Amino acid sequence: MLLLHGWPQTAHAWREVVPLLADRYTVVAPDLPGFGASSRPDGGYDKRTVASTLARLMAALGLTPLPPRRP
């Protein structure tokens, strides 16, 4: 499960939720690029770049998306 914080929060926002979910799920709660202690380029990040970065993170951890559910 990938948890994404909002602006201007950091992954610290999930500190009480992660332990509750971790018993049942693999939980990844990173700081979004450019937030918290992470660096960012002068121009910042666009949504497509952030999504690509997070997809690569999940793949590097061996976590892949579930297939879509059918009604």
Side-chain angles (χ1 to χ4, degrees):
M1 175 179 294
L2 177 62
L3 300 178
L4 303 177
H5 60 80
W7 185 89
Q9 293 87 12
T10 64
H12 186 70
W14 299 114
R15 69 189 176 281
E16 294 179 14
V17 176
V18 169
L20 300 173
L21 296 170
D23 286 341
R24 191 164 179 198
Y25 303 98
T26 299
V27 181
V28 179
D31 274 336
L32 292 174
F35 287 77
S38 63
S39 63
R40 67 178 181 87
D42 291 336
Y45 287 101
D46 60 86
K47 290 178 184 178
R48 184 179 304 261
T49 302
V50 170
S52 175
T53 300
L54 294 171
R56 287 193 320 271
L57 168 65
M58 296 300 278
L61 295 172
L63 303 170
T64 58
L66 295 173
R69 287 175 147 185
R70 293 191 174 205

